[in-house]
Amino acid sequence: MGHLDHAAYGWLTPVLSYVMASIGAALGLRCTVRALAATGASRRNWLLTAASAIGTGIWTMHFVAMLGFEVNGTEIHYNVPLTILSLLVAVLVVGAGVFAVGYGKARGRSLVLGGLTTGLGVASMHYLGMAALRLHGEVSYDPLTVALSVVIAVIAATAALWAALNIKSPVAVAVASLVMGAAVSSMHYTGMTAVAVSVTPSDAALPGATAMQFIFPLAVGLGSYLFITAAFVALSPTADERAASASAARHLGEHTVTAH
């Protein structure tokens, strides 16, 4: 059995991956809050942004953490199409969850359906990303630990969607995001404790790309997307701010007419 190192760079990758998960969660929750206060195309667009933010944050968290994953006795490469597919799965299933909450009439049922869908999707993304590993040997999993990681994913997703429905203030959203980031990170590292690798030494070249060739630049790009989108959301006026602005403009217009 190959010795597994889940933090080859010390605390750098666990902390950075947690930060990315928290940023994605914070951005997604803020967008969902905006969506619930909007109607029509505006609601749809905010939900799409929420799905891309949470999905991207979760995916980036996973693969930033994987930058610190090493197995003694073998290099690790990644199948590029499977890795990209895992990103699409993350965004699509999170989208299904937030749209279930955003448009559901019965909030309790929508929350359960959205949490289950999103949680299973997060777990699917994780294990699809793991299926993209290419190394000299065989990867196996402990079924009970895998099941525990899926349960954590479902609970975390349900809690995040509940927060989106019930928490409005920026401070409360920030706290919920930190909790969500911790939950997603816990799911990842629980899933990783289920992994065992039987190494078969070989000099043959591995297919796929190394983490630094593919994972690192993609994670940097997606992280940049999260920061840019966060800036856009922070600068975009809320529904209350738009209403206050319209009211002020209306009062100003009435005052101008009266003065004349």
Side-chain angles (χ1 to χ4, degrees):
M1 301 296 285
H3 173 71
L4 310 185
D5 189 347
H6 297 288
Y9 300 103
W11 284 99
L12 177 63
T13 49
V15 170
L16 186 56
S17 63
Y18 168 70
V19 169
M20 298 310 299
S22 298
I23 291 173
L27 183 54
L29 292 179
R30 288 302 297 161
C31 289
T32 306
V33 169
R34 297 284 187 93
L36 294 174
T39 56
S42 180
R43 171 173 289 197
R44 180 201 63 206
N45 292 340
W46 279 118
L47 289 174
L48 287 172
T49 306
S52 66
I54 298 174
T56 297
I58 291 170
W59 186 94
T60 306
M61 177 271 141
H62 171 83
F63 281 100
V64 167
M66 290 302 291
L67 290 174
F69 178 67
E70 291 184 355
V71 180
N72 284 357
T74 178
E75 288 185 297
I76 297 175
H77 286 200
Y78 294 85
N79 178 282
V80 173
L82 269 182
T83 303
I84 294 175
L85 179 60
S86 70
L87 172 60
L88 296 177
V89 167
V91 173
L92 289 174
V93 297
V94 169
V98 297
F99 269 81
V101 167
Y103 286 102
K105 302 301 181 185
R107 284 202 166 185
R109 186 172 61 187
S110 298
L111 181 61
V112 172
L113 176 62
L116 182 61
T117 301
T118 305
L120 291 176
V122 169
S124 298
M125 181 283 301
H126 174 88
Y127 289 105
L128 190 58
M130 291 301 294
L133 289 181
R134 297 293 179 264
L135 45 75
H136 294 303
E138 295 293 330
V139 178
S140 59
Y141 297 90
D142 176 67
L144 289 179
T145 310
V146 169
L148 177 60
S149 71
V150 174
V151 170
I152 293 173
V154 171
I155 293 173
T158 304
L161 294 175
W162 178 89
L165 284 171
N166 296 281
I167 295 176
K168 307 302 179 188
S169 76
V171 173
V173 167
V175 173
S177 302
L178 294 175
V179 174
M180 177 63 179
V184 172
S185 296
S186 298
M187 178 267 157
H188 171 83
Y189 285 106
T190 299
M192 293 307 293
T193 61
V195 176
V197 178
S198 177
V199 175
T200 305
S202 172
D203 293 327
L206 287 168
T210 66
M212 287 302 173
Q213 288 172 335
F214 176 62
I215 300 299
F216 180 72
L218 185 55
V220 169
L222 292 174
S224 300
Y225 161 76
L226 286 176
F227 281 108
I228 292 170
T229 307
F232 167 76
V233 172
L235 295 173
S236 176
T238 64
D240 289 342
E241 290 168 343
R242 286 195 300 271
S245 178
S247 177
R250 190 164 52 250
H251 285 307
L252 180 61
E254 292 172 354
H255 177 72
T256 302
V257 171
T258 303
H260 285 293

